[in-house]
Amino acid sequence: MTDATSIPAAHKPRLALYWASSCGGCEVTVLDISERILDLAARADIVFWPAVLDVKYEDVHAMPDRHIDVCLFNGAIRTDENAELARLLRAKSRTLIAFGSCAVTGGIPSLANNYSRDSILRASYIDSPTTANPAGVLPQHRVMVSTDSGAEVELDLPAFHHSVRTLAQTVPVDYTVPGCPPVADQVWNVLSAVLEGRLPARGAVLGASNKSVCEDCLRPRHEKRLQGFVRPHLTKPDPSHCLLDQGIACLGPATRGGCGAPCTKANMPCRGCYGAMPEVDDQGLKALSALASLLEAREPKDVERAIATIPDPLGTFYRFGLAASQLFRTRTQEDA
C-alpha cells in the first residue's frame, strides 16, 4: 500500500505554499534560496502559492483530495480563515508540513495568548493613541453594508479567535520545519528531500539538528556564576566569549540547532526560534532551568533580584513557543 506521504512517480511533485497568521518571512526565505528557485520551478509544479501565484481558494476546493503532494504551511491559526485553509489543505495534500515557528509552535503571534481577544481588539481599535474611533466600532464577524445601488449586502469576515494555535493543534501534521524563518540552506535541504522522494518517516523534524544551538556556536563557554542578567542593548558583548557568561539571557542551551547560530555570530543571543531540543516537552521551562543553574544565589532575595533583571520573562522564555507550551495561554474572563 502506498504511504500517504509518498509521491507518485507518474508526475512532477505538486507543491503548495500557504501563509496564515505570520509576518511573511517564511515566504521570503523560500525566495532566499536564490537561483535554486529556478530549479524548484523546473522540477516541481507549484499549484498553490497565494503570495506569488494568482490562484484562488475555489481552485483548491476544486482539486481532488490528496492532489497536492507536499504543502508548506506557514503561520499560526488566529482566524476562521486560517483554520478553514488548514483543514482544506490537509484534505488536499498527501504531505502537510508545518513550516516555520508560527506554524510549529505558535511563534511571536502566540504571545497574544497572554491577553484576551477583547483586550487585543480594544488596544488596536480604541485605545491606541493614533486611532480615531469615537464610536468605538470594533471588527464584526458579519456586518450589513449598503452598495452604491442601495442594496444591502452581508459581509462575512474571518472571525478573530480568542487563542492562537499551532497548525498541529488544528489538523494532523506530517513533518515540521522550525525557524523564524528557517534558514535558506535548510529550506533547500527540505525541498531537495521533497523533490528527490527521500523524506524520512512521518513525524520527523526537518531542516534542523538534534543538537543544541550551543553546538553550532563558536564562542567558548566557561559557565560563570551570575548575579543577574543584562539586556543586549545595555552592554557591549565581547565576541570572543559566551554570551551567557557575560550575563546575557541566551536560549542556546535549550534550543534545537541547525540554523548555524547566526544570532550569536552577530553578537546577539539566541532567542529560541528553532524550538525545543528532542525529548523536551517545554522549551521555556528548559531555558529557565538552564539560566537558573548559573545563578549565584544563596537566599530567596538573591533569586528575586536576579528575576527582576529580566523585564519580560514570558517574552524571553516563550517568545516563539507559547502556544505549544504547557502554559498555552493566560487565563482570562473569556476562559471562564
Side-chain angles (χ1 to χ4, degrees), residues 240-273:
S240 63
H241 290 83
C242 172
L243 294 170
L244 272 176
D245 285 346
Q246 300 178 66
I248 297 173
C250 180
L251 270 61
T255 301
R256 185 187 289 269
C259 59
C263 297
T264 60
K265 290 175 182 175
N267 229 17
M268 290 296 292
C270 171
R271 295 304 195 191
C273 77

Side-chain angles (χ1 to χ4, degrees), residues 66-69 71 88-96:
R66 300 175 65 205
H67 178 76
I68 298 167
D69 292 306
C71 175
L88 176 63
L89 290 168
R90 174 67 279 181
K92 303 301 180 180
S93 304
R94 292 175 178 271
T95 301
L96 183 65

Side-chain angles (χ1 to χ4, degrees), residues 16 33 41 45 50 79 118 170 189 199 204 218 227 237 251 267 293 313 321 328:
I33 65 176
D45 287 330
T79 68
D118 289 346
T170 309
N189 289 339
L199 286 170
L218 302 178
Q227 301 293 325
L251 270 61
N267 229 17
S293 68
F328 180 65

